[in-house]
Amino acid sequence: MEKAKNKTVDLDWSNLGFSYIKTDYRFISHWKNGAWDEGKLSTENKLTISEGSPALHYGQASFEGMKAYRTKEGDIQLFRPKENAKRLARSCERLLMPVFPVERFVDAVEKVVAANAHWVPPYESGSTLYIRPYMIGVGDNIGVKPAEEYIFSVFVTPVGPYFKGGLAPTNFIVSGYDRAAPYGTGASKVGGNYAASLLPGKQAQEREFSDCIYLDPATHTKIEEVGAANFFGITHEDVFVTPDSPSILPSITKYSLLYLAEHYLGLGVEERDIYLDRLDEFKEAGACGTAAVISPIGGIQTQDNFHVFHSETEVGPLTKKLYDTLTSIQFGDLEGPEGWIEKVTV
């Protein structure tokens, strides 16, 4: 493994997309007879599972998305990994899957990143090492019931910056589809939520929008999510607002931005309902998540109106400041709140 760590990966770091690249090591652990095994690093990127696995038929599958960052000094660091571990635990509990302990989750992620340290892009490229922990229900099964065996695994792949030409606003359209049921799995990061989003996302892109806006499934009057990301708006009174709903995925990026907006930028912050017919209360808006950090929203197409926020071509100043602040913490250029950054020992 030491030899693999020290070799040079020949990649055009500045031109990476967001796509799968096989790296050298991943972590894998099996749950059987009521307990997790010790787990191990593996070079094999293929799984062999039973055709009866509940993950295949009944969607008993959950995952996380996170990144490792190379600092200017060459160190490697993770951003709030315990929060990902806790969210995966909540998702697993929702699907009656065994929880993979928080400390073991973080340790597994650190092991995989350290073993693939030569795949972490250089600081100046703006690229990162994307980390995908996941859990699936496996084993011989045919009935609608929880699996009797499970696999937890973590793999990594280098990805480029989301905005190749720099941070830029894009437009979105309100969807007539629901992302999740009012008391369903919307607050859990489970596979079925994303499978259901493929069709409305494709329809939005066919109309030349970046993605779709999902409204609350009960009344279809309030904004909930933007594609696979959380929504935020900044009012004319400089208040950072995000939707409050039990069917929204609790984004780690969103809660980080809420904290930074209040404690670093001095903005007011609120989690509350955001009504579609009151968009004019916001001077800036965006979507936030792991992949893009922030996707500035230029405008939103409703059934009979196109509402523009700050601009369709220029990023709002507060949105830009939030983006710069968060990414500076992630890449080690700015000191973050206590406990947000964990160094990886290579």
Side-chain angles (χ1 to χ4, degrees), residues 23-341:
T23 53
D24 296 323
Y25 295 94
R26 65 274 310 128
F27 177 87
I28 188 165
S29 180
H30 293 83
W31 191 91
K32 193 173 183 179
N33 298 323
W36 290 105
D37 66 14
E38 292 184 3
K40 63 179 181 179
L41 291 176
S42 171
T43 58
E44 179 55 63
N45 72 332
K46 300 290 192 298
L47 295 178
T48 299
I49 62 174
S50 168
E51 62 188 356
S53 294
L56 300 176
H57 306 282
Y58 307 125
Q60 202 183 21
S62 182
F63 70 97
E64 279 296 317
M66 48 199 299
K67 291 177 177 177
Y69 307 82
R70 179 84 67 180
T71 70
K72 191 178 296 183
E73 294 73 29
D75 296 328
I76 300 172
Q77 58 188 34
L78 304 174
F79 180 73
R80 308 191 74 180
K82 290 180 182 176
E83 296 305 312
N84 291 94
K86 294 173 186 176
R87 189 171 64 180
L88 181 68
R90 294 192 298 269
S91 297
C92 289
E93 288 171 346
R94 178 63 177 84
L95 297 188
L96 291 180
M97 298 197 291
V99 168
F100 199 78
V102 170
E103 295 302 329
R104 289 198 61 192
F105 175 103
V106 175
D107 182 65
V109 168
E110 291 180 347
K111 279 184 168 66
V112 175
V113 172
N116 293 287
H118 51 292
W119 288 97
V120 181
Y123 167 85
E124 60 273 11
S125 70
S127 299
T128 54
L129 187 72
Y130 184 79
I131 306 165
R132 172 55 58 85
Y134 66 94
M135 190 186 298
I136 57 174
V138 298
D140 298 327
N141 180 76
I142 197 62
V144 182
K145 60 182 180 179
E148 295 182 0
E149 300 176 24
Y150 296 87
I151 292 174
F152 169 77
S153 185
V154 182
F155 70 86
V156 298
T157 189
V159 297
Y162 193 85
F163 299 101
K164 292 298 184 184
L167 195 66
T170 57
N171 299 326
F172 296 80
I173 184 171
V174 172
S175 176
Y177 287 96
D178 291 332
R179 173 184 165 271
Y183 298 98
T185 58
S188 303
K189 199 168 178 66
V190 299
N193 294 346
Y194 296 84
S197 73
L198 296 177
L199 177 60
K202 180 174 182 289
Q203 291 177 343
Q205 291 160 11
E206 287 174 346
R207 295 187 60 180
E208 298 185 350
F209 292 93
S210 290
D211 210 330
C212 56
I213 302 276
Y214 294 107
L215 303 181
D216 71 293
T219 71
H220 286 189
T221 61
K222 298 174 285 189
I223 289 180
E224 289 217 331
E225 294 216 349
V226 185
N230 280 191
F231 178 88
F232 72 84
I234 301 174
T235 71
H236 295 279
E237 293 74 33
D238 290 344
V239 180
F240 182 92
V241 184
T242 66
D244 182 27
S245 166
S247 57
I248 293 175
L249 181 72
S251 165
I252 294 161
T253 302
K254 180 188 81 170
Y255 283 110
S256 300
L257 290 173
L258 276 165
Y259 184 92
L260 295 177
E262 180 178 10
H263 297 280
Y264 281 54
L265 274 64
L267 305 181
V269 295
E270 293 179 356
E271 283 187 272
R272 60 168 171 84
D273 292 337
I274 296 179
Y275 287 92
L276 189 64
D277 61 0
R278 300 180 194 170
L279 294 179
D280 56 359
E281 69 174 311
F282 301 105
K283 60 181 178 180
E284 299 179 31
C288 55
T290 299
V293 182
I294 290 177
S295 295
I297 298 177
I300 294 177
Q301 178 69 53
T302 64
Q303 190 170 8
D304 52 9
N305 181 51
F306 182 69
H307 179 88
V308 177
F309 295 97
H310 177 77
S311 168
E312 288 187 75
T313 57
E314 296 181 359
V315 181
L318 291 176
T319 298
K320 178 69 164 56
K321 191 172 291 187
L322 281 167
Y323 177 86
D324 289 343
T325 301
L326 181 53
T327 55
S328 292
I329 292 171
Q330 291 171 330
F331 281 97
D333 297 325
L334 179 67
E335 186 174 353
E338 185 178 356
W340 277 26
I341 296 297

